[in-house]
Amino acid sequence: MTRMAVWHFTVEGHQWVVRERDGEPGSYDVDWLSGPHPYGFTSKSSDGSAVAPAEMEEAIADFLAGINPRTGYLD
């Protein structure tokens, strides 16, 4: 049985859960738990390698930087 990575992060005061996709090494579904809407994104390494937690935190921070604070959605 393969164990998939599941991480919980707090980035800029927001709660996130990251789940590795079953059967897709290096692919992750990122869900914003504390956002104003059910929202998230998918992240994937170019070569299928695992992503380090620090890299995932950076990807989340980059995503948040694109969020319109008035609407809670990407511009």
Side-chain angles (χ1 to χ4, degrees):
M1 181 164 116
T2 304
R3 292 192 89 184
M4 296 181 306
V6 177
W7 300 325
H8 295 269
F9 292 100
T10 301
V11 178
E12 298 179 19
H14 297 275
Q15 302 298 312
W16 297 82
V17 66
V18 178
R19 292 178 185 87
E20 185 177 20
R21 285 191 176 178
D22 187 25
E24 294 183 45
S27 295
Y28 303 87
D29 291 315
V30 185
D31 294 311
W32 190 4
L33 300 177
S34 62
H37 313 286
Y39 212 29
F41 63 96
T42 298
S43 180
K44 184 173 183 170
S45 64
S46 60
D47 62 359
S49 63
V51 175
E55 293 174 290
M56 189 57 67
E57 286 183 2
E58 185 176 332
I60 292 169
D62 288 346
F63 177 84
L64 284 172
I67 294 293
N68 181 322
R70 187 176 52 76
T71 66
Y73 289 107
L74 287 172
D75 279 337

